[in-house]
Amino acid sequence: MANILRLLFSILLIRPLILIVLGISGRYRFRLPKKGPAIIVANHNSHLDTLVLMTLFPLTLTNRIRPVAAADYFLKNRFLAWFSLNIMNIIPIQRTGAKKIDDLFAGVHEALANGDIVILYPEGSRGEPEKLQNYKSGIFHLSRGCPDVPIYPTFMHGLGKALPKGDFVLVPFQCHVTVGDPFYWNPQKKEFMRELNNRMEDLANEGDFPPWE
Amino acid sequence: MNDIPQGLLTVFIGIFVVLVVASIITFILTKSKPDKDFTELVLRIKSWWMMAVLFSIAILINRNISILFFAFLSFLALKEYFTLIPTSRSHRLVLFFAYLSIPVQFYWIFINWYGMFIIFIPVYMFLLIPLVLIFIGENKGFLKSVGSVHWGMMMMLFGLSHISFLLVLPPENAAGAGGAGLILYLVVLTQGNDVAQYLWGKMFGRHKVVPKVSPNKTWEGLIGGVATTIALAFLLAPYLTPLSPLHILFSGIIIGVGGFIGDVNISALKRDIGVKDSGTSLPGHGGILDRIDSLTFTAPMFFHFIRYLYF
């Protein structure tokens, strides 16, 4: 049942919104994985980010896309929790109070073992619109449990303009998506994080975007 | 789809014959010179096919669908423009009002209220936009925002919406193919003029017209293009318009020269911003603005020309 609802939601709402009201232009979409398990890491500026990433994949993969999301925010009331868990198909994460770091990612590892494609925003929260924040090391700890799963860096621009954090009016802007080549976990934490930062920076620098003050 | 005027049908068939011929020539070129790269040309023709099919559907079914189609075109153009230019976070609400004015402007066309259609953007939105900014209360970049938002609305919304108003002009004066015929005439001449100027410039171009804005535009291209457009005007006008021979000549000149100015106008904008193409929606052409740049000038110019003389 939830699978069908998800598909309908994608066809009737997400895709028209993202493809017609906003419009995507992008580079290297062919680099995206055709099947899981895979981890998509992206910069996070807006609630629209997840909807755009979902739209980049074919409808046949709808039920395979699993955004990792903060439990304290997305499960805060019954309606939002139902919507997040059933329609958006999120993997909830407790940002605070976890005892062991591996318990924290148990849900993610389960999804990956199941062959799902997991979306993760290593910046943690949406932050200032259209500014890259430093990536948190959660992705390093997550990947330690699944070093064979490819990580696809993806850079998005324009969504923080269309619907920034703290704003409720959607203003249409075309968004730009650049997908990078996949890379893998590396036991050297510093090196791994530097690689992630460099790859995201390179993707960001490929685009030439007008200023947004 | 009842009663499509004969003239309209003839010209549409003509358009598709031209596209078929162009596709065949491209196919022969790619086969006979496999060492040369024709990707750009192939993409361009493909996009022309897509645009021709969409445009035919939009024009032939009925008037309301045509109005919706042009409203959507204005939306895409305005969105591409706002994506292209520097904008300010604190002033983003004003862009929302700019988008809202699209359905309103096309509603005036739908109910055939000419007086409101002609002043809504130039007067009322012109007054409303600074008001919205004043209420937002961020003074930094005020002039930049009022200027760039209203300029975009004048071009992509007010200018382009003139095409739709051709549909609601009294049909008894538009002997021939009615408002749809006038639109077809305007659009075919404008796009034909673009192609003709490009080809003439490519073959004989020597003397640049505006080297700093658009180094590819030459006097040879401009003059050859305008002459071709006038010839095409004489060929098409009897099928589509009530124009007399003298007026056909003038309409050809207006569309030829207006198209050139509209084109370099958007070129100047892109130079200022520092991009080559306005977007990526039309493979081989660039963005929507790259394709409709000429129309933003030819539509109001042709509209007022023909309205003054015939309606």
Side-chain angles (χ1 to χ4, degrees), chain A residues 138-160:
Chain A
I139 173 74
F140 171 81
H141 297 294
L142 186 155
S143 264
R144 191 174 49 205
C146 50
D148 305 331
V149 175
I151 304 168
Y152 292 78
T154 303
F155 178 79
M156 293 180 281
H157 172 86
L159 297 156

Side-chain angles (χ1 to χ4, degrees), chain A residues 7-211:
Chain A
L7 202 64
L8 282 177
F9 191 73
S10 182
I11 295 172
L12 299 177
L13 276 163
I14 300 182
R15 282 170 197 250
L17 173 76
I18 300 301
L19 296 174
I20 297 173
V21 178
L22 294 180
I24 301 182
S25 62
R27 284 199 181 140
Y28 316 123
R29 191 172 154 179
F30 59 85
R31 285 181 181 163
L32 284 172
K34 307 280 177 293
K35 59 182 177 46
I39 300 172
I40 312 289
V41 294
N43 57 322
H44 199 23
N45 288 312
S46 165
H47 283 316
L48 297 168
D49 293 339
T50 308
L51 306 185
V52 168
L53 290 173
M54 286 176 156
T55 305
L56 291 177
F57 287 96
L59 273 173
T60 46
L61 286 175
T62 304
N63 295 314
R64 292 273 167 207
I65 312 291
R66 310 289 310 274
V68 175
D72 54 281
Y73 186 95
F74 287 95
L75 304 182
K76 72 182 164 202
N77 64 54
R78 268 175 64 193
F79 172 73
L80 190 62
W82 178 84
F83 179 79
S84 305
L85 291 170
N86 291 290
I87 304 298
M88 298 306 291
N89 210 2
I90 67 162
I91 306 171
I93 287 267
Q94 303 289 349
R95 279 196 282 206
T96 49
K99 294 221 175 57
K100 269 171 56 192
I101 209 149
D102 289 326
D103 294 349
L104 189 67
F105 296 120
V108 180
H109 289 145
E110 197 182 310
L112 287 170
N114 199 19
D116 288 348
I117 296 168
V118 168
I119 296 173
L120 185 84
Y121 302 111
E123 285 165 304
S125 77
R126 285 169 291 165
E128 279 284 297
E130 305 306 332
K131 288 211 174 75
L132 274 179
Q133 308 177 74
N134 257 333
Y135 294 100
K136 302 209 168 81
S137 56
I139 173 74
F140 171 81
H141 297 294
L142 186 155
S143 264
R144 191 174 49 205
C146 50
D148 305 331
V149 175
I151 304 168
Y152 292 78
T154 303
F155 178 79
M156 293 180 281
H157 172 86
L159 297 156
K161 292 160 100 175
L163 189 68
K165 188 177 183 175
D167 239 308
F168 298 97
V169 181
L170 177 100
V171 175
F173 278 98
Q174 260 177 39
C175 63
H176 192 91
V177 186
T178 317
V179 182
D181 281 318
F183 68 109
Y184 292 88
W185 186 72
N186 172 345
Q188 298 297 319
K189 185 171 166 190
K190 264 203 177 138
E191 231 170 75
F192 176 82
M193 291 312 291
R194 199 180 318 123
E195 174 158 29
L196 173 65
N197 273 297
N198 289 345
R199 278 171 182 263
M200 288 303 284
E201 198 120 316
D202 288 349
L203 292 178
N205 290 337
E206 273 195 37
D208 185 13
F209 305 114

Side-chain angles (χ1 to χ4, degrees), chain A residues 19-23 25-26 128-129 160-174 208 210-213, chain B residues 72 75-76 79-80 82-90 92-93 95-96 99 140 144 273-275 278-281 288:
Chain A
L19 296 174
I20 297 173
V21 178
L22 294 180
S25 62
E128 279 284 297
K161 292 160 100 175
L163 189 68
K165 188 177 183 175
D167 239 308
F168 298 97
V169 181
L170 177 100
V171 175
F173 278 98
Q174 260 177 39
D208 185 13
W212 169 253
E213 294 119 23
Chain B
F72 187 61
F75 169 70
L76 292 180
K79 187 175 68 182
E80 196 168 278
F82 286 148
T83 304
L84 200 62
I85 63 166
T87 39
S88 133
R89 166 156 197 199
S90 38
R92 64 191 284 281
L93 194 63
L95 306 183
F96 184 74
Y99 284 120
K140 191 168 166 283
K144 211 163 125 189
I273 293 169
V275 295
S278 66
T280 54
S281 353
I288 307 263

Side-chain angles (χ1 to χ4, degrees), chain B residues 204-231:
Chain B
F204 305 106
R206 291 275 177 282
H207 306 88
K208 297 183 184 348
V209 189
V210 278
K212 279 195 169 159
V213 178
S214 191
N216 296 326
K217 296 279 183 295
T218 57
W219 282 107
E220 291 79 0
L222 175 57
I223 293 164
V226 172
T228 310
T229 303
I230 293 170

